[in-house]
């Protein structure tokens, strides 16, 4: 819980015009951080947001079929019963426009927008050691000083557009899914090439195929996918959620993944082959991310994982009619869920359409974009009017590094993280006092249902700031040894799972050429992570130096 302070004026800095906190980003994280600091602690806070509205990653990801993979009743703020009571989700998984409507509803209800400076991008943030202040500059020339800097820039918000030679010569139109035009894209009758078959590409392809003249899907790494089984929510279900939200919240906060379902406490080998198959069939029919919760050892035992992987590959072979296409789609080289597991609506079935082709760009990589399409290494050229880059993000570190942050002694964050991200609890970087990152590398974030991870971080940060203010502490900084220890814990947690076995995963930074290969998220589970953070706070912020 965040403790409100009654007299925020007592710790106002001496320099005029100085704010208590600057928050970068107005997505789920920045909005709630603003509410905790401004409305619960009574601090002066400015949020800086590049977009002209709230939403963060959901503001930009407007591609066809954009929908959250978490179920709507768990993909929302849980801190306020009023917000739960007064909002109605329409479908099992919230679609992008509905998430934006929801976040606007929250922003209006909590009167957040007056503290958000929209259409403004942070160009630099430097720690001024003499004044113990963060000096933040923006692209509209503003200079803002604040005691605390909170980067709530999201994990998946810096688009990764591969640097294929010739892109600037392409005579058609091209788009990255994470920077989609607000007015939408008309695919009617067009020859479309989609590059990428991650969660995004798997959502987009079926929708693009419906109107495109022809769709060529370029696949580098084949991927598993489980049907989402999206459906409108009944009035009964919505009422059930409202009546039982306390229990739902307990489940979400008590388990490893932050979802409203629990991982079954049985091994894949506690049951007979027939029973296992029946369990997978039932999970396939139910649909969604719950599939990986069928057995507790799916992500820790290769043998257990193989049973799930084989079941899912067999489904692909059954759905896709052309055996060659089916074989290419099912030729998956990593354990199930070792990369972020997509869920879909008619993805594999899309390859049964006459206007859809699959091209294996692992066997024959993309060499260049030409004025009229995409040329592969073999010399084969695929013509296109539109190219869709569903090529993901410079995940977890990209958005932080491009802020131009420098800490003590002019140390830049890029320098500090040259060999990969290194921080304490995913919350603070040694050498960058009074700066916090929400769901940064080293946190469970992307391995968890995001709003649950975000609420934990935001509340921990607000509690920490309240603690400091109550005691007149002006400076908090992660200790070097604590950061080293945490990096080791993050590695150890990853090693205890099959996650590092997907060598091409963005969890490892492998999707961005030149990015250090470090397993970034904390894989020890949200519940364990919450305990660790609580223990650190209870011990007077052990591992941080407070002065
Ligand atoms: P992902 O999961 O990073 O997927 C990107 C896809 O694009 C993936 O299939 C990549 O293949 C492919 N890709 C990336 N670069 C290239 C190049 N140069 N050539 C060919 N193919 C390429 O991003 P998403 O947007 O789908 O999902 C990100 C997260 O958003 C998702 O996990 C959810 O948490 C929400 P690769 O696998 O790297 O071989």
């Amino acid at each position: 819980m965040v403790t409100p302070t009654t007299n925020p004026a007592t710790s106002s800095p001496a320099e005029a015009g100085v704010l208590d906190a600057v928050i970068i980003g107005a997505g789920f994280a920045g909005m709630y951080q603003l509410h905790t600091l401004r409305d619960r602690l009574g601090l002066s806070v400015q949020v800086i947001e590049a977009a002209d509205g709230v939403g963060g990653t959901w503001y930009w990801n407007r591609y066809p079929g954009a929908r959250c993979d978490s179920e709507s009743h768990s993909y929302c703020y849980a801190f306020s019963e009023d917000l739960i009571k007064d909002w109605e989700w329409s479908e099992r998984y919230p679609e992008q426009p509905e998430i934006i409507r929801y976040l606007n509803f929250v922003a209006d209800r909590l009167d957040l927008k007056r503290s958000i400076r929209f259409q403004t991008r942070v160009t630099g943030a430097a720690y001024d050691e003499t004044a113990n202040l963060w000096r933040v500059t923006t692209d509209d020339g503003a200079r803002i000083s604040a005691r605390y800097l909170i980067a709530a820039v999201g994990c998946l918000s810096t688009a990764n557009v591969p640097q294929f030679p010739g892109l600037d010569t392409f005579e058609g139109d091209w788009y990255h899914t994470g920077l989609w035009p607000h007015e939408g894209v008309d695919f009617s009758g067009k020859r479309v090439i989609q590059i990428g078959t991650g969660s995004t590409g798997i959502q987009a392809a079926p929708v693009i195929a419906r109107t495109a003249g022809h769709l060529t899907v370029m696949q580098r790494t084949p991927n598993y996918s489980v049907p989402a089984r999206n459906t409108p929510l009944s009035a009964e279900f919505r009422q059930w959620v409202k009546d039982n939200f306390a229990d739902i919240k307990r489940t979400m906060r008590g388990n490893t993944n932050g979802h409203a379902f629990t991982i079954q406490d049985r091994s894949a080998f506690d049951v007979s082959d027939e029973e296992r198959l029946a369990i997978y069939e039932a999970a396939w029919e139910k649909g969604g991310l719950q599939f990986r919760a069928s057995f507790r050892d799916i992500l820790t035992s290769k043998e257990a994982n193989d049973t799930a992987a084989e079941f899912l590959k067999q489904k692909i072979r059954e759905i896709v009619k052309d055996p060659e296409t089916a074989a290419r789609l099912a030729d998956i080289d990593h354990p199930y869920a070792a990369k972020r597991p997509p869920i879909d609506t008619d993805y594999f079935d899309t390859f049964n359409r006459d206007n859809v082709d699959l091209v294996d760009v692992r066997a024959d990589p993309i060499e260049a974009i030409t004025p009229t399409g995409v040329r592969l290494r073999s010399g084969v050229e695929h013509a296109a009017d539109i190219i869709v880059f569903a090529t993901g993000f410079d995940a977890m570190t990209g958005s932080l590094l491009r802020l131009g942050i420098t800490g003590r002694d002019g140390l830049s964050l890029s320098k500090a993280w040259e060999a990969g991200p290194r921080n304490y609890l995913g919350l603070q970087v040694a050498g960058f006092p009074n700066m916090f990152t929400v769901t940064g590398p080293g946190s469970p974030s992307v391995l968890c249902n995001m709003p649950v991870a975000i609420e934990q971080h935001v509340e921990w940060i607000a509690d920490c700031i309240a603690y400091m203010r109550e005691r007149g502490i002006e400076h908090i900084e992660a200790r070097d040894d604590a950061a080293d220890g945490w990096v080791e814990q993050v590695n150890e947690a990853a090693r205890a799972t099959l996650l590092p076995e997907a060598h091409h995963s963005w969890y490892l930074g492998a999707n961005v050429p030149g990015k250090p290969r470090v397993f970034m998220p904390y894989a020890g589970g949200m519940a364990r992570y919450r305990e660790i953070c609580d223990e650190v706070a209870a011990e007077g912020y052990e591992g941080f130096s407070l002065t």
Side-chain angles (χ1 to χ4, degrees):
M1 262 315 285
V2 173
T3 340
T5 51
T6 46
N7 186 7
T10 50
S11 69
S12 289
E15 195 178 307
V18 167
L19 296 173
D20 290 310
V22 164
I23 298 168
I24 311 173
F28 266 94
M31 286 172 54
Y32 184 36
Q33 193 74 74
L34 167 62
H35 178 56
T36 57
L37 298 186
R38 188 194 69 183
D39 304 331
R40 292 193 199 158
L41 300 192
L43 306 189
S44 56
V45 186
Q46 175 77 70
V47 178
I48 301 174
E49 167 57 57
D52 68 2
V54 296
T57 197
W58 292 108
Y59 177 94
W60 304 102
N61 279 271
R62 295 167 187 252
Y63 60 86
R67 190 183 287 282
C68 186
D69 288 346
S70 295
E71 297 190 37
S72 49
H73 66 290
S74 64
Y75 199 75
C76 51
Y77 292 113
F79 70 84
S80 155
E81 275 184 31
D82 284 346
L83 293 177
I84 295 292
K85 232 175 41 226
D86 295 345
W87 180 258
E88 300 286 346
W89 292 109
S90 66
E91 295 179 284
R92 180 173 173 190
Y93 305 93
E95 212 180 357
Q96 181 270 342
E98 193 165 25
I99 299 173
I100 291 293
R101 281 200 297 281
Y102 168 72
L103 288 173
N104 274 283
F105 151 77
V106 174
D108 293 339
R109 176 65 75 86
L110 303 178
D111 192 18
L112 299 179
K113 289 179 186 168
R114 70 182 158 87
S115 301
I116 306 174
R117 191 179 180 121
F118 290 109
Q119 290 183 284
T120 309
R121 199 171 270 285
V122 168
T123 50
Y127 176 65
D128 174 345
E129 196 162 355
T130 316
N132 187 30
L133 291 174
W134 280 93
R135 311 287 189 187
V136 180
T137 50
T138 64
D139 61 357
D140 61 356
R143 305 174 77 80
I144 307 166
S145 297
R147 184 170 298 277
Y148 297 102
L149 177 68
I150 297 152
V153 289
C155 302
L156 297 161
S157 38
T158 297
N160 168 42
V161 181
Q163 298 300 300
F164 296 123
L167 181 56
D168 53 341
T169 67
F170 183 57
E171 287 165 1
D173 297 316
W174 67 268
Y175 308 93
H176 185 280
T177 49
L179 296 168
W180 204 256
H182 282 210
E183 61 282 12
V185 175
D186 182 5
F187 293 103
S188 318
K190 298 275 171 45
R191 294 165 305 170
V192 183
I193 289 179
Q194 176 187 303
I195 303 172
T197 53
S199 302
T200 300
I202 282 177
Q203 285 186 337
V207 183
I208 295 174
R210 270 184 235 144
T211 55
H214 190 270
L215 172 65
T216 303
V217 176
M218 296 197 162
Q219 166 188 274
R220 186 164 69 180
T221 303
N223 224 334
Y224 302 94
S225 186
V226 170
R229 311 256 183 238
N230 186 41
T231 179
L233 292 177
S234 65
E236 292 73 34
F237 180 81
R238 290 189 300 210
Q239 193 53 48
W240 177 83
V241 169
K242 288 181 204 292
D243 294 344
N244 293 281
F245 198 75
D247 287 341
I248 295 170
K249 184 170 163 179
R250 211 168 302 119
T251 303
M252 293 194 298
R253 292 195 164 194
N255 67 25
T256 52
N257 54 38
H259 288 283
F261 53 82
T262 41
I263 295 174
Q264 295 296 319
D265 190 20
R266 62 183 171 211
S267 159
F269 299 108
D270 285 346
V271 296
S272 68
D273 291 354
E274 294 72 36
E275 280 171 304
R276 191 183 316 112
L277 211 55
I279 287 167
Y280 285 144
E281 274 299 345
W284 175 269
E285 282 313 312
K286 192 168 175 55
L289 293 172
Q290 303 191 33
F291 188 91
R292 71 188 156 162
S294 302
F295 297 104
R296 65 160 190 265
D297 46 359
I298 284 185
L299 254 187
T300 51
S301 149
K302 178 71 170 60
E303 291 70 32
N305 193 286
D306 283 347
T307 65
E310 193 37 54
F311 175 88
L312 294 172
K313 289 178 187 178
Q314 186 53 30
K315 284 290 181 194
I316 299 173
R317 295 181 200 112
E318 284 165 20
I319 297 169
V320 180
K321 299 202 174 88
D322 172 49
E324 257 180 49
T325 306
R328 281 202 298 270
L329 286 163
D331 184 21
I332 308 175
D333 64 352
H334 54 276
Y336 166 63
K339 291 185 90 161
R340 165 67 160 71
I343 62 174
D344 71 276
T345 302
D346 299 333
Y347 176 64
F348 294 116
D349 206 32
T350 294
F351 294 95
N352 294 327
R353 295 177 67 107
D354 291 338
N355 69 334
V356 178
D357 282 331
L358 180 72
V359 170
D360 179 353
V361 295
R362 167 150 292 163
D364 191 2
I366 298 170
E367 190 170 73
I369 309 290
T370 68
T372 51
V374 175
R375 192 177 66 239
L376 307 182
R377 186 177 290 168
S378 62
V380 171
E381 186 164 338
H382 293 269
D385 304 306
I386 298 176
I387 302 175
V388 173
F389 287 91
T391 43
F393 303 91
D394 183 354
M396 304 203 80
T397 52
S399 303
L400 289 169
L401 291 175
R402 72 174 176 175
L403 292 173
I405 297 175
T406 53
R408 240 178 332 100
D409 305 323
L411 175 70
S412 70
L413 190 59
S414 348
K415 184 81 191 148
W417 284 3
E418 217 170 19
R422 178 176 166 277
N423 63 18
Y424 183 39
L425 302 173
L427 283 161
Q428 245 211 5
V429 187
F432 297 76
N434 295 352
M435 179 184 101
F436 297 96
T437 53
V438 185
T439 64
S443 77
S445 55
V446 291
L447 299 177
C448 179
N449 178 29
M450 265 295 180
V452 174
I454 285 170
E455 284 192 346
Q456 184 273 346
H457 278 231
V458 163
E459 287 167 8
W460 191 96
I461 293 167
D463 282 344
C464 173
I465 292 176
Y467 175 95
M468 291 172 68
R469 288 165 61 79
E470 280 156 17
R471 288 161 183 77
I473 297 166
E474 302 207 325
H475 183 280
I476 180 165
E477 183 178 346
R479 288 203 324 256
D480 259 322
D481 60 327
D484 285 341
W486 185 246
V487 169
E488 191 36 48
Q489 280 200 58
V490 170
N491 289 333
E492 205 177 296
R495 281 197 298 269
T497 71
L498 300 172
L499 291 165
E501 291 202 16
H503 303 293
H504 32 56
S505 131
W506 58 257
Y507 294 153
L508 273 161
N511 63 327
V512 177
K515 190 165 170 169
R517 299 272 174 117
V518 173
F519 193 85
M520 293 185 286
Y522 172 72
M526 191 60 217
R528 175 71 193 119
Y529 175 81
R530 187 187 297 277
E531 276 170 22
I532 295 172
C533 290
D534 288 350
E535 281 162 21
V536 164
E539 295 298 322
Y541 294 89
E542 199 180 15
F544 293 93
S545 63
L546 302 167
T547 49

